[in-house]
Amino acid sequence: MRITAHGNDLLVTDQSLGLGAFLVALGTFGLVATLSALIDGDALAPSTAFYALGGAWAVWYGLHRLVATQLIIDPDEQTVAVKRWTIGKATSQRIPLTDLDRFAIEPEEAETKTHLVVYAKGDKPPMVVGLHAHRAAWEEIITAINEHLKGKPG
């Protein structure tokens, strides 16, 4: 995770690429091994089924894990935004700072494998930032957000 300032905005960027890229590479290896076995005439061998299923799952899950997320605190526009990019899809959510209820690190009792959730007042859905991180990383981000917003109008 990286915390940076761009102009008057505070940006928190989380690029979770390592495990996803490894799984895609491993899955591709399994699928190539499956093709090799099929060419050699071993279509009914248990190892062929293992490589086919394991390779397909690894590629699918690896592509699912290739995610980039950005939390943007924009005091000029008075918004908190979360943008998420995956293979073939990009999403964006915004909450006006006036509607911001709180930041929470969930699950509350965990120290690892936690994520930051931005809650808004009313019926707006919460925004989840990033995949998984240690609680201390999210606490550092919340501190940076509070410091960034100090002295800003609104």
Side-chain angles (χ1 to χ4, degrees):
M1 254 179 276
R2 188 176 67 215
I3 303 171
T4 58
H6 181 70
N8 210 17
D9 298 347
L10 180 72
L11 307 174
V12 178
T13 305
D14 181 18
Q15 296 174 336
S16 302
L17 304 176
L19 179 61
F22 173 75
L23 287 173
V24 169
L26 185 66
T28 302
F29 174 76
L31 293 176
V32 168
T34 301
L35 287 176
S36 176
L38 291 174
I39 290 170
D40 291 342
D42 293 332
L44 300 177
S47 62
T48 303
F50 174 78
Y51 283 132
L53 293 175
W57 176 84
V59 168
W60 175 81
Y61 190 66
L63 289 174
H64 177 72
R65 295 276 309 182
L66 290 174
V67 177
T69 305
Q70 193 170 53
L71 171 68
I72 304 164
I73 309 297
D74 188 345
D76 294 334
E77 291 185 19
Q78 293 289 305
T79 59
V80 175
V82 174
K83 295 182 180 184
R84 181 172 288 110
W85 296 271
T86 60
I87 300 294
K89 184 172 137 182
T91 60
S92 179
Q93 293 176 284
R94 289 182 183 271
I95 295 176
L97 287 177
T98 55
D99 291 346
L100 181 64
D101 184 26
R102 63 187 165 92
F103 292 97
I105 302 169
E106 296 180 354
E108 291 181 15
E109 65 282 347
E111 290 297 319
T112 61
K113 295 185 178 182
T114 61
H115 51 270
L116 181 64
V117 181
V118 182
Y119 287 99
K121 298 173 187 167
D123 295 340
K124 293 185 181 179
M127 299 186 303
V128 178
V129 181
L131 290 178
H132 295 290
H134 290 278
R135 179 172 294 278
W138 295 124
E139 289 171 350
E140 181 180 332
I141 289 167
I142 291 172
T143 300
I145 291 169
N146 289 333
E147 290 295 320
H148 185 74
L149 291 176
K150 270 187 184 175
K152 305 288 189 225

